[in-house]
Amino acid sequence: MVGLSVPTWDPQTALLIGIILAEAVVLYVGYGLIERVVGPPLVRAIRGRRRHVE
Amino acid sequence: MWSDLLAVTATDPGLLVLFVGFGLVVGILFGFFGMGGSFLVTPALLMLGYPARVAVGSGMAFVFGTAVIATLKHSDLGQVDYRLGVLMIAGTTVGIELGRASVLYLETLGLAAGIISVVYVLLLGAIGVLVTRDARGGSGRALAADGGLPPAAVWIHTHLNLPPRIRLRGDVHVSVWIITVVALSTGVLSGFLGVGGGFIRMPAMIYAIGVPVPVAVGTDLFEIVFSGGIGSYLYGQSGGVDLTIVVPLLLGSALGARIGSAATAIVDAEGIKIYFGLMLIAGAVAVAVGEVGGVLGVTALEQLGLVLVIGAAVAVAAGILGQVVLTIRRRDRAD
């Protein structure tokens, strides 16, 4: 493959990408926890049912 | 590096809110369609006055982070086919190099910019119209009555049924050669146009390989994790990735990607296709307006193109949320 860009090792850039990856994973887990708490009442609100009905 | 992270806290609060909100919208579209990141973010950053290297590099890093989140969510929902993803990554990588080589050739002829712009607009518009027509039943043959393969996939599978074959999610048995050809061709187009190519790969996986729509979205996102990661690394080496942009964008898109990904499990396949098609048609109009503005040197037209595409993105994201609410209520009534 002529012209294929092959990345060379660069610790600073690896750290930069690592920070973005870590932020993504932390946010995924964090929003997942929020989803667990907020999700069920939100779905109930969308369905238009009162909590005690269920 | 750490000073870059600290600089996030020193960013203008108005700009932070703008980035988080924009990230939320793009995240919803990205999780729902498996495309749309660089399509929206890079032009917006250019308009905000960031240098091209930073706009492209930070846009790519944002796409990488959002793709990680959306892939994790799709994986939770069982909507990522890793074998298909790996084959697609291999074929697409080779295809991108072929596409780039063709751009270099056209550049020597002085035709690259014009041809690429025209092909980009036509392809966006054509795929948008085809997918929308298919979903609305305008073609009269959206999917087989039994919910099986689209007619195009049936034809391809019948005529290119060469061994070895593999079984994909959705109980689709397909020749590895079909996947290779699809990956190569979509890679060539992606390299030729200089875009991520989700808007080409997603329909190609549905109509040529025959995987279910949510699996096409999830697998496309899995592929973007790798292409976005490598692209971000390459841009990061030349200082093109700015954390003061990426961190707040990701804060919004992480939530949006979860919502968009979860929505693919709620909204039916035809609904996903309609929104996808409309987004592409709006994108084609916006890109065409922007390109005409560029050719004529009219900045107002270029800005109008960006406003149109961002407006369409906000409208489509709102439409997806509305569709989710309607679907939940409809199912609730049916139960």
Side-chain angles (χ1 to χ4, degrees):
Chain A
M1 282 188 291
V2 179
L4 181 64
S5 303
V6 180
T8 51
W9 174 246
D10 176 5
Q12 279 288 99
T13 312
L15 180 62
L16 179 73
I17 303 302
I19 288 172
I20 295 168
L21 184 62
E23 188 197 354
V25 173
V26 167
L27 287 173
Y28 180 76
V29 174
Y31 282 132
L33 293 174
I34 293 172
E35 187 183 301
R36 277 188 179 181
V37 176
V38 178
L42 186 64
V43 171
R44 274 197 295 272
I46 289 172
R47 286 173 169 169
R49 288 180 178 177
R50 289 175 194 277
R51 184 183 289 262
H52 69 265
V53 173
E54 292 190 301
Chain B
M1 185 71 54
W2 303 115
S3 60
D4 288 349
L5 267 179
L6 287 174
V8 176
T9 57
T11 309
D12 172 42
L15 194 61
L16 274 180
V17 171
L18 178 74
F19 279 159
V20 173
F22 190 48
L24 179 71
V25 170
V26 178
I28 291 173
L29 300 178
F30 204 62
F32 194 72
F33 298 132
M35 60 144 264
S38 50
F39 182 71
L40 293 162
V41 176
T42 305
L45 292 176
L46 286 170
M47 187 134 290
L48 286 171
Y50 288 97
R53 183 170 48 89
V54 175
V56 176
S58 301
M60 202 168 274
F62 159 73
V63 164
F64 163 64
T66 310
V68 168
I69 293 158
T71 304
L72 286 170
K73 183 66 185 172
H74 276 278
S75 188
D76 280 352
L77 297 167
Q79 295 175 174
V80 180
D81 192 306
Y82 291 100
R83 281 195 300 180
L84 174 62
V86 169
L87 286 169
M88 288 293 293
I89 288 169
T92 307
T93 307
V94 178
I96 286 173
E97 288 306 310
L98 296 174
R100 273 177 39 175
S102 62
V103 171
L104 295 176
Y105 173 70
L106 283 175
E107 271 180 352
T108 62
L109 301 176
L111 298 170
I115 290 181
I116 290 171
S117 300
V118 171
V119 171
Y120 189 26
V121 170
L122 289 180
L123 206 58
L124 271 175
I127 296 175
V129 169
L130 285 174
V131 173
T132 310
R133 277 192 65 206
D134 175 32
R136 289 174 60 86
S139 66
R141 296 181 302 144
L143 287 172
D146 60 356
L149 295 175
V154 171
W155 189 91
I156 291 169
H157 287 206
T158 309
H159 292 84
L160 288 170
N161 193 21
L162 303 169
R165 297 171 69 202
I166 59 168
R167 181 168 171 266
L168 304 174
R169 280 189 183 274
D171 202 25
V172 177
H173 295 262
V174 61
S175 164
V176 170
W177 296 104
I178 295 176
I179 297 172
T180 306
V181 170
V182 168
L184 260 176
S185 347
T186 53
V188 167
L189 282 171
S190 182
F192 181 73
L193 299 173
V195 294
F199 79 94
I200 309 165
R201 271 196 311 274
M202 209 273 259
M205 279 195 264
I206 297 167
Y207 293 104
I209 297 175
V211 292
V213 176
V215 177
V217 176
T219 307
D220 184 38
L221 285 162
F222 171 66
E223 190 175 350
I224 293 172
V225 169
F226 287 87
S227 58
I230 293 169
S232 308
Y233 187 87
L234 289 169
Y235 272 95
Q237 281 185 311
S238 58
V241 177
D242 185 341
L243 285 180
T244 61
I245 300 170
V246 180
V247 167
L249 275 174
L250 213 49
L251 201 62
S253 74
L255 180 60
R258 283 191 79 99
I259 296 170
S261 303
T264 59
I266 298 170
V267 178
D268 63 49
E270 300 311 297
I272 297 174
K273 286 186 195 170
I274 286 179
Y275 283 111
F276 181 78
L278 291 177
M279 187 68 222
L280 290 191
I281 293 168
V285 172
V287 172
V289 169
E291 290 294 335
V292 169
V295 170
L296 299 177
V298 183
T299 315
L301 273 182
E302 291 183 81
Q303 289 174 341
L304 176 63
L306 182 65
V307 170
L308 280 175
V309 79
I310 291 175
V314 172
V316 171
I320 291 168
L321 295 181
Q323 187 71 42
V324 167
V325 171
L326 287 175
T327 307
I328 289 175
R329 285 186 173 170
R330 198 184 310 133
R331 283 183 189 167
D332 200 39
R333 277 199 296 271
D335 290 342

